[in-house]
């Protein structure tokens, strides 16, 4: 019974992650399209200014400014799927007044699938957001990702509340329901690919790391 419940939860979260990935990838492609259309915007502005329609041109610039602010807020790592999930989670964190800093350089084609990467990074990011909500003072998430040879390395430091106690190799979640399920999913996927992950909790800070084979 416990195994069936776990498998149902895995199936549900996988489908949720797949749907989320499709949505954020669609948004990402749309945002990139705005930059692609920049030349056309310039031609429109030239036409409006050439016709003496200054107010109309200024209104057009205001609209572009709002769109480009959204585009510039996208995380750019070199991996489209990773860009999508990090951009979506960063927006979610910032909406909760959490400062996010991402330094990441990752190839687009990896051995770990887009869906698996989305589940792993998404779950770790969700855990960080949850921990930040318990923090006293500054709320922050700092992410670093890069290739180390053929291995993909990930490190995340985030603010948190008091030091958490481990249960086995993981830490309990403060959410209602199945505790630590997201971290277990991330750990299971990484182990399937021959990788590892580790977590550390201290008063006011939580760190997550993983290393996984990512290139043939």
């Amino acid at each position: 019974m416990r195994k069936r419940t776990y498998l149902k939860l895995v199936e549900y979260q996988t489908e949720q992650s797949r749907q989320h990935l499709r949505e954020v990838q669609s948004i990402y492609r749309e945002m990139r399209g705005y930059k692609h259309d920049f030349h056309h915007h310039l031609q429109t502005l030239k036409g409006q200014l050439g016709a003496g329609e200054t107010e109309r041109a200024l209104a057009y610039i205001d609209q572009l400014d709002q769109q480009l602010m959204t585009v510039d807020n996208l995380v750019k790592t070199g991996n489209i799927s990773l860009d999508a999930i990090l951009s979506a989670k960063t927006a979610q964190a910032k909406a909760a007044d959490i400062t996010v800093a991402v330094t990441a350089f990752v190839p687009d084609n990896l051995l770990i699938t887009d869906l698996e990467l989305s589940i792993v990074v998404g779950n770790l990011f969700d855990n960080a957001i949850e921990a930040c909500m318990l923090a006293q003072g500054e709320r922050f998430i700092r992410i670093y990702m890069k290739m180390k040879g053929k291995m993909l390395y990930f490190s995340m430091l985030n603010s948190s509340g008091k030091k958490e106690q481990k249960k086995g190799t993981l830490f309990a979640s403060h959410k209602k329901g199945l505790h630590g399920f997201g971290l277990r999913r991330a750990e299971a996927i990484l182990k399937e690919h021959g990788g590892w992950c580790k977590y550390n909790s201290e008063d006011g800070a939580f760190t997550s790391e993983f290393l996984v084979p990512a290139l043939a």
Side-chain angles (χ1 to χ4, degrees):
M1 178 66 70
R2 185 180 300 174
K3 184 177 181 181
R4 283 203 299 270
T5 301
Y6 176 78
L7 290 176
K8 285 182 179 179
L9 284 169
V10 169
E11 181 181 356
Y12 171 77
Q13 189 184 54
T14 299
E15 179 54 36
Q16 290 293 102
S17 298
R18 185 180 290 114
Q19 177 62 28
H20 178 70
L21 185 59
R22 284 195 294 263
E23 290 173 355
V24 292
Q25 284 178 328
S26 176
I27 294 171
Y28 181 81
R29 286 192 294 268
E30 182 180 352
M31 292 301 100
R32 291 187 66 181
Y34 288 128
K35 284 193 173 183
H36 179 73
D37 292 338
F38 187 66
H39 174 74
H40 303 297
H41 295 316
L42 288 178
Q43 295 301 314
T44 299
L45 285 169
K46 284 181 180 179
Q48 291 172 343
L49 292 172
E53 298 179 348
T54 306
E55 291 187 5
R56 187 176 178 182
L58 289 173
Y60 193 86
I61 290 172
D62 286 339
Q63 293 175 7
L64 286 178
D65 187 49
Q66 292 299 316
Q67 291 180 349
L68 290 175
M69 283 178 64
T70 304
V71 174
D72 288 338
N73 284 336
L74 289 173
V75 177
K76 304 174 184 65
T77 68
N79 181 291
I80 293 177
S81 296
L82 188 60
D83 290 351
I85 190 65
L86 285 176
S87 295
K89 293 300 181 183
T90 296
Q92 181 182 341
K94 288 182 176 179
D97 294 322
I98 300 170
T99 301
V100 181
V102 178
T103 302
F105 307 97
V106 180
D108 197 35
N109 296 312
L110 301 174
L111 294 178
I112 186 169
T113 68
D114 290 345
L115 180 60
E116 290 171 327
L117 190 61
S118 175
I119 292 173
V120 171
V121 174
N123 275 316
L124 295 181
F125 213 133
D126 283 342
N127 188 73
I129 292 174
E130 179 191 347
C132 283
M133 302 307 292
L134 301 173
Q136 299 294 321
E138 182 186 5
R139 294 176 175 178
F140 65 85
I141 298 174
R142 298 168 189 158
I143 295 174
Y144 177 79
M145 293 185 74
K146 70 171 295 184
M147 298 300 300
K148 290 191 173 183
K150 295 183 178 181
M151 308 286 284
L152 175 62
Y153 174 73
F154 172 97
S155 173
M156 179 165 61
L157 171 67
N158 58 268
S159 54
S160 66
K162 294 182 179 180
K163 182 176 180 178
E164 298 178 27
Q165 298 300 314
K166 274 190 175 181
K167 291 188 175 181
T169 60
L170 299 174
F171 295 87
S173 168
H174 293 279
K175 296 176 182 176
K176 295 180 180 179
L178 188 62
H179 294 310
F181 179 73
L183 295 184
R184 287 185 176 88
R185 281 290 285 129
E187 187 178 60
I189 289 171
L190 293 168
K191 283 186 176 180
E192 285 176 9
H193 286 271
W196 57 260
C197 59
K198 62 180 180 180
Y199 314 104
N200 186 56
S201 177
E202 300 293 342
D203 285 341
F206 190 93
T207 57
S208 307
E209 285 185 289
F210 73 71
L211 189 71
V212 63
L215 295 177

